[in-house]
Amino acid sequence: DAGVIQSPRHEVTEMGQEVTLRCKPISGHDYLFWYRQTMMRGLELLIYFNNNVPIDDSGMPEDRFSAKMPNASFSTLKIQPSEPRDSAVYFCASRADRVNGYTFGSGTRLTVV
Amino acid sequence: AQSVTQLDSQVPVFEEAPVELRCNYSSSVSVYLFWYVQYPNQGLQLLLKYLSGSTLVESINGFEAEFNKSQTSFHLRKPSVHISDTAEYFCAVNGGNTGFQKLVFGTGTRLLVSP
């Protein structure tokens, strides 16, 4: 298994531009989570899905952020328009069941200038 | 809501010395407990977990953690650290009063091992 795959690994964009982050979970995992990690706030849960349905999006910072999961093998996190304060590492994680914890992707380092 | 407290944001230690990273959680009902490790510029990796049974759990690289229900703690220990153990360590819990759907993470402890 290739694990959780995120793309791109690094993204540098200008303020105001749209950014799309991508995630492919492990096959058979029915939970998918998006996290943001910064020095100031640590690891924050943004949103999670179960069987492609968003369950809890209370961590999404504002309307500029949106996430979709059109099928079991793909999810996107979109920021439009992006702002410098969105600069962070964004992680995707998936889970099969409660006893095995999460498997994290390698993250996308986003820099908004 | 469920919460996890990691009391130390950073722990400096010399190589081959013992180390303990502290973790306390808030729930008084059944929980599953996890330790994750994050090496620089990488994602989080599962280090070890407690689900039930023996309160002492071990990882393949010499770390161990002990579940203490009365103190609601799950401290991580290693008797002799290596330079390569330098990383950030996160304690996490699911269950309790927030259910088992998502993990609640602590704020992390940065372990700095120097020669």
Side-chain angles (χ1 to χ4, degrees):
Chain A
D1 198 322
V4 176
I5 299 172
Q6 291 187 246
S7 64
R9 285 298 308 273
H10 302 274
E11 176 81 38
V12 180
T13 191
E14 292 185 347
M15 182 174 62
Q17 296 297 306
E18 177 179 295
V19 175
T20 300
L21 312 180
R22 297 173 177 80
C23 175
K24 177 177 167 49
I26 291 174
S27 177
H29 284 195
D30 55 4
Y31 280 88
L32 183 141
F33 303 82
W34 281 101
Y35 281 85
R36 178 172 69 175
Q37 187 177 37
T38 61
M39 289 291 291
M40 292 295 294
R41 293 175 172 268
L43 200 59
E44 301 174 274
L45 176 64
L46 301 178
I47 186 171
Y48 75 95
F49 296 82
N50 178 217
N51 292 322
N52 315 335
V53 176
I55 303 300
D56 183 353
D57 65 354
S58 60
M60 296 286 262
E62 47 199 276
D63 293 345
R64 298 184 296 106
F65 285 70
S66 62
K68 294 182 180 179
M69 192 164 186
N71 57 61
S73 60
F74 184 66
S75 177
T76 60
L77 178 68
K78 186 175 293 186
I79 308 172
Q80 166 63 17
S82 57
E83 297 182 3
R85 60 194 167 121
D86 302 330
S87 297
V89 181
Y90 291 81
F91 288 104
C92 175
S94 68
R95 190 196 84 173
D97 53 56
R98 64 177 69 175
V99 302
N100 286 302
Y102 297 176
T103 301
F104 280 81
S106 298
T108 295
R109 182 175 297 276
L110 173 65
T111 303
V112 183
V113 298
Chain B
Q2 183 71 270
S3 67
V4 177
T5 303
Q6 292 184 246
L7 297 168
D8 305 299
S9 60
Q10 188 165 291
V11 173
V13 64
F14 289 109
E15 193 175 19
E16 297 184 5
V19 70
E20 179 179 80
L21 307 183
R22 296 178 290 173
C23 172
N24 288 87
Y25 61 95
S26 62
S27 176
S28 60
V29 297
S30 286
V31 294
Y32 294 158
L33 294 156
F34 303 82
W35 276 99
Y36 282 81
V37 59
Q38 184 179 28
Y39 298 104
N41 300 313
Q42 295 185 26
L44 281 72
Q45 302 171 35
L46 181 63
L47 187 61
L48 48 74
K49 62 185 177 184
Y50 170 79
L51 305 177
S52 64
S54 172
T55 57
L56 186 67
V57 291
E58 299 177 353
S59 72
I60 58 173
N61 56 355
F63 282 94
E64 63 180 29
E66 186 161 20
F67 169 61
N68 188 318
K69 187 176 181 179
S70 63
Q71 297 186 7
T72 59
S73 68
F74 191 54
H75 301 332
L76 182 70
R77 294 189 290 262
K78 189 170 185 180
S80 176
V81 295
H82 302 288
I83 297 285
S84 59
D85 293 323
T86 294
E88 186 140 21
Y89 292 80
F90 292 89
C91 182
V93 59
N94 70 2
N97 56 7
T98 54
F100 287 90
Q101 288 198 343
K102 61 182 182 181
L103 286 174
V104 176
F105 284 88
T107 51
T109 297
R110 187 172 299 276
L111 177 63
L112 299 170
V113 183
S114 53

